[in-house]
Amino acid sequence: MHLSRPNFIHEVELPKAYRLINHGPTVLVSSAHDGRQNVTAAAWNMGLDFTPAKVCVVIDKSTLTRALVERSGEFVLSVPARKIAKQTLQVGGASVCKINKFDAFGIDTFAANRVAAHLVAGCVGWLERKVINEPHNQLPMIFSSAR
């Protein structure tokens, strides 16, 4: 049976096609160190191991989030619900050098139990993480284990 092309299908530019095959959810990465806080969106994240539980998230090394994670040795992954999809997109495209993302986009947070970074409200789950140092890894990746 041949169906008509649905009107909700849109072509994607080839340089952006990787987004179609990314198997995990976009997460919010919150970080804190020495009185500074930040949040960003990260589409490249995955579970690595079960025991101990490990995850990998790609964070560009030129960002404030990456700097705060490296300095503090910890961070939070928040899995956003649909109701904060707009803020998730906004924090992924904004530079903290120009604005406070939490205030600018109305992102509510609450304290974590084990790390300084805050948990983002409106999410379906949170992972408080500590960094596993991987000195040979120069890519923009942070590996972590359960905290």
Side-chain angles (χ1 to χ4, degrees):
M1 173 191 282
H2 183 72
L3 301 175
S4 297
R5 181 184 171 104
N7 61 4
F8 59 82
I9 294 178
H10 300 282
E11 290 189 9
V12 175
E13 298 172 33
L14 188 57
K16 296 181 179 180
Y18 70 90
R19 295 175 180 178
L20 299 174
I21 59 173
N22 186 11
H23 65 278
T26 295
V27 296
L28 294 171
V29 181
S30 52
S31 55
H33 180 70
D34 201 24
R36 288 195 81 183
Q37 297 241 7
N38 194 36
V39 62
T40 196
W44 292 345
N45 62 91
M46 65 181 169
L48 290 178
D49 207 348
F50 294 108
T51 306
K54 295 178 189 170
V55 299
C56 175
V57 60
V58 177
I59 306 169
D60 190 302
K61 62 185 174 184
S62 67
T63 65
L64 176 62
T65 298
R66 174 72 179 255
L68 295 175
V69 169
E70 288 180 344
R71 290 178 189 138
S72 68
E74 58 190 32
F75 61 99
V76 171
L77 293 183
S78 298
V79 181
R82 185 177 183 180
K83 70 179 184 177
I84 64 166
K86 182 178 178 180
Q87 287 107 328
T88 300
L89 183 60
Q90 289 171 321
V91 300
S95 171
V96 78
C97 298
K98 299 175 184 165
I99 60 170
N100 176 314
K101 294 181 190 182
F102 295 103
D103 294 339
F105 303 123
I107 297 173
D108 295 323
T109 63
F110 55 96
N113 290 329
R114 298 177 177 92
V115 298
H118 288 180
L119 283 66
V120 176
C123 292
V124 297
W126 303 266
L127 297 169
E128 297 178 36
R129 315 304 294 176
K130 71 173 184 171
V131 173
I132 297 172
N133 290 321
E134 295 285 346
H136 63 281
N137 186 0
Q138 295 300 314
L139 296 173
M141 294 186 184
I142 302 290
F143 295 91
S144 75
S145 67
R147 182 84 190 213

